[in-house]
Amino acid sequence: MTRTAPTRHSTDKHVNAAMLGIAALIVLVMVGFSYREWTAYSRLNAAAALAGETQESVETLLSDLRDAETGQRGFLLTAEERYLEPYNRAVQSIPNDLAKLKSLLAASQTQSGNEARLNELVNQKLEELRQTIEIRRTQGAGAAVALVLTDRGKRLMDEIRAVCSEVRRGQKVSQNQASVEGEKVARTALLATVAGSLVLIFLFVVGLEPFVIRGSALRERPWVLRYGAAFGGTAAAILFRMALSPLLRDSHSIFPFVTFLPAVLFAAWYGGLRAGLFSIVLCSISSYYFFIWPEKSWHISSVGDLVGLLVFVLASFGLALI
């Protein structure tokens, strides 16, 4: 017996199985890549938050030291215990401030030398304040003022401010770097999601089109006309969007796509789902390059713009399918 050629039904089953396998692989890659990128984003976001909290902790320490100095000066002038209230509160708070700052700097694994130096200077400053207050109580204003005029307390406070400024600068640099890298990771993850979605939509269109095209008129149109109409519609949408740019320049990120939805609808109506998908790809690339800030660049500075692009792709596919 001679072996018969595979039927068209059998061939279609193999093609559909292959497309299903490719789609499943793409989904797995997208999930794995997105998980890795968003894990990195969470880590960088936590690092930025830690740097910000460290800067706030430094400010709290300086504020408590200023309160301690204020209480000391009031007592030196009046010898009245009620003026020591800010000093007493600050003395209770400063050890906790130092402990918190130490843990934050240890978590960020930076500036351990500055932390040790700051701890030493603050303890010396507290001792200087305690001594002047005690001398005011026991020896009078003259002896206390003489000790103040040695400028030891001022020198200590100047050194503390200098170390705090260095810590703040270092944390600010770390915060900015983590924020920039986090935004970059988020943009990469979203861009990969958009690209993967386009590929999945293409596979879906290839498998679905024979079931949604009824009648012979559409199938009889040459592919050149169908895809040419998609290209021409996209070109018209780009020109129209450029004309609207002065009006939409300060608008939200969804407006880069405002003229492209009709182009996708026209391409899908005239040329079918595949022509509609071709139009979606052209419109996405065009809006990405020409109308998302910074314009005429492949760089996207805002995560919101990438979210808008993803929403446009999904919405356009839904409209094309309808």
Side-chain angles (χ1 to χ4, degrees), residues 54-258:
T54 303
Q55 294 176 72
E56 292 178 3
S57 181
V58 170
E59 290 297 333
T60 300
L61 174 62
L62 286 173
S63 177
D64 286 338
L65 284 171
R66 286 192 292 267
D67 287 345
E69 281 193 324
T70 299
Q72 175 225 29
R73 289 167 184 164
F75 181 77
L76 293 183
L77 291 172
T78 64
E80 301 217 4
E81 294 291 330
R82 60 192 176 93
Y83 282 94
L84 285 177
E85 289 180 4
Y87 167 82
N88 292 329
R89 287 195 301 269
V91 167
Q92 294 295 321
S93 300
I94 286 173
N96 295 330
D97 296 340
L98 288 172
K100 181 179 180 180
L101 185 57
K102 180 179 181 179
S103 65
L104 290 172
L105 290 176
S108 63
Q109 298 179 345
T110 59
Q111 301 184 344
S112 58
N114 281 332
E115 184 277 324
R117 178 61 177 158
L118 187 58
N119 188 74
E120 178 185 356
L121 289 170
V122 169
N123 287 330
Q124 291 179 17
K125 179 61 181 177
L126 291 177
E127 179 62 21
E128 181 266 336
L129 294 174
R130 188 195 65 78
Q131 285 179 354
T132 56
I133 292 171
E134 185 63 27
I135 290 175
R136 179 66 175 88
R137 285 185 178 131
T138 59
Q139 300 180 30
V145 170
L147 181 58
V148 171
L149 290 176
T150 62
D151 285 341
R152 178 170 178 266
K154 180 180 181 302
R155 288 194 299 271
L156 286 171
M157 199 64 193
D158 288 343
E159 289 187 56
I160 290 172
R161 290 192 181 95
V163 175
C164 286
S165 294
E166 187 173 345
V167 172
R168 280 198 302 258
R169 282 194 300 271
Q171 294 301 309
K172 187 65 175 176
V173 170
S174 298
Q175 185 180 30
N176 291 339
Q177 183 178 358
S179 297
V180 170
E181 291 180 0
E183 288 292 322
K184 186 185 299 183
V185 166
R187 287 195 298 269
T188 301
L190 280 171
L191 190 57
T193 302
V194 171
S197 298
L198 286 172
V199 175
L200 290 175
I201 289 173
F202 172 77
L203 294 175
F204 183 67
V205 168
V206 170
L208 185 64
E209 189 176 37
F211 300 97
V212 298
I213 295 180
R214 294 180 176 88
S216 60
L218 181 60
R219 288 195 295 268
E220 290 175 355
R221 288 175 184 154
W223 69 268
V224 174
L225 288 180
R226 287 186 282 148
Y227 288 93
F231 183 83
T234 302
I238 293 173
L239 294 175
F240 186 44
R241 178 59 180 79
M242 287 180 174
L244 292 177
S245 289
L247 300 176
L248 303 178
R249 189 167 299 278
D250 297 326
S251 300
H252 298 300
S253 61
I254 192 62
F255 285 105
F257 317 106
V258 68

Side-chain angles (χ1 to χ4, degrees), residues 2-7:
T2 59
R3 184 175 301 175
T4 60
T7 65

Side-chain angles (χ1 to χ4, degrees), residues 20-31:
L20 181 62
I22 294 172
L25 180 62
I26 291 173
V27 170
L28 289 176
V29 171
M30 286 174 59
V31 169

